[in-house]
Amino acid sequence: MGQERAVSGDPPRQRPRFPAGLQPAAAAAERRPQPLRPQRPLAEAARDAQRRTAPTGLGLDTAAVRQRMIVRLRADGISCAPVLQAMSHVPRHVFVDSALAAQAYEDTSLPIGLGQTISKPSVVARMLEWLMLGDTARAQGHLGRVLEVGTGCGYQTAVLCALATSVVSVERLLALHELACRHLSHFQLPVPCTLVAGDGMLGHAEAGPFDSIIAAAGGEDIPLAWMEQLAVGGRIVAPARAPNGLGQVLIVVDRLKDGWRRTVGEAVQFVPLKSGVA
Ligand code: SAH
């Protein structure tokens, strides 16, 4: 289905640890020893020092700001250690427009173009925490084979890669699919990750069944294709219209041996799940 792009190399040679590490290529360059240059002009030395703490030229120490985001998530009730650890490693500012980078670690959704938004960190964390509580995920300590619907800018895809054994992520807007390909190409992802340009309402049967399915866009209901492509023991976490018809809620679907169990969670606000590609 659709146009597929693998953004990571070969499958890992050894079983990954969870959450697995995620190293931006820039971080490796940063670790290269700096030549000693005595008696440099002070301004030049100051510029170098700034670059060391802010490799992206943001003017802020992103690791420290990210750590403060993790402290806030904990205070908000997120307690799943692998999720917190994964989010503490993924530089969210790399995935948003540079004009918005200073807001990247606030608990806010941000525009990513074409009327779409990157979800708030607290919502990403809450959904991943729910996903980690599925039967298979709990037994294995990781999300296994993941299908993500709505790649957007690729931020959540990167977080998922630190929690899964493989990730397939589908995006219906070609321009955002391309953007996510560009963003994720900056990272050495720890597990195989395939980005697909296509209609995620259909799932991605050729790579299924999946242990975990997560959607960042909400429709009328959970598409049947996702329920069918969910492995026994697997879990879906996705927004959908509230049973009373007013707004959206998070829906959790677990696949049991003899059917599906559906749980309705908290009220949320996601962009619409639309069919077709554009
Ligand atoms: N997790 C993303 C959030 C993106 S917003 C991030 O970190 O950036 C939700 C995305 O879902 C949008 O990019 C939208 O285009 C996409 N979307 C909506 N309906 C879709 C569908 N049927 N298939 C695939 N993607 C869809």
Side-chain angles (χ1 to χ4, degrees):
M1 185 196 78
Q3 177 186 329
E4 269 190 28
R5 184 119 30 115
V7 288
S8 62
D10 302 326
R13 271 182 291 279
Q14 63 192 43
R15 191 179 153 76
R17 281 180 295 113
F18 292 93
L22 191 75
Q23 291 296 327
E30 276 297 303
R31 284 194 299 273
R32 259 179 243 135
Q34 301 289 317
L36 283 175
R37 283 186 235 118
Q39 295 176 15
R40 287 177 305 152
L42 268 182
E44 192 190 321
R47 268 200 309 276
D48 282 359
Q50 166 96 8
R51 265 202 298 276
R52 272 197 293 281
T53 49
T56 56
L58 256 183
L60 45 87
D61 178 346
T62 59
V65 182
R66 203 152 53 242
Q67 216 39 55
R68 283 202 286 281
M69 174 184 85
I70 300 300
V71 169
R72 279 199 309 273
L73 290 176
R74 264 205 204 94
D76 271 2
I78 305 295
S79 60
C80 179
V83 169
L84 290 168
Q85 208 182 324
M87 290 182 70
S88 76
H89 284 128
V90 179
R92 193 167 183 259
H93 66 273
V94 170
F95 292 85
V96 297
D97 192 276
S98 55
L100 299 170
Q103 295 171 59
Y105 298 103
E106 288 170 20
D107 195 28
T108 179
S109 54
L110 293 169
I112 53 173
L114 303 175
Q116 308 302 316
T117 51
I118 179 174
S119 311
K120 284 189 203 195
S122 60
V123 171
V124 172
R126 188 88 56 209
M127 290 179 79
L128 294 176
E129 192 167 59
W130 278 108
L131 216 48
M132 287 291 286
L133 290 172
D135 286 345
T136 300
R138 233 170 344 139
Q140 296 182 348
H142 58 76
L143 297 177
R145 297 156 295 174
V146 174
L147 171 68
E148 178 187 42
V149 177
T151 317
C153 64
Y155 168 72
Q156 185 176 270
T157 317
V159 178
L160 286 167
C161 282
L163 293 165
T165 51
S166 63
V167 176
V168 174
S169 184
V170 188
E171 172 56 56
R172 65 180 290 277
L173 298 176
L174 190 56
L176 287 182
H177 162 77
E178 294 290 346
L179 179 72
C181 287
R182 277 201 302 282
H183 285 158
L184 291 167
S185 69
H186 295 129
F187 297 91
Q188 273 186 330
L189 298 173
V191 296
C193 175
T194 307
L195 300 187
V196 180
D199 182 358
M201 278 179 90
L202 309 173
H204 195 63
E206 44 273 65
F210 300 98
D211 303 305
S212 306
I213 299 180
I214 185 166
E220 285 300 309
D221 205 348
I222 303 296
L224 203 58
W226 301 357
M227 313 237 307
E228 285 167 350
Q229 290 169 32
L230 189 65
V232 171
R235 173 170 273 202
I236 301 173
V237 178
R241 182 178 287 279
N244 63 6
L246 299 174
Q248 286 176 337
V249 285
L250 275 188
I251 306 279
V252 175
V253 177
D254 290 298
R255 182 142 197 190
L256 313 173
K257 282 200 191 78
D258 53 356
W260 292 266
R261 182 180 53 223
R262 195 184 166 92
T263 314
V264 176
E266 62 204 77
V268 284
Q269 211 177 358
F270 278 83
V271 296
L273 181 72
K274 293 185 177 170
S275 59
V277 289

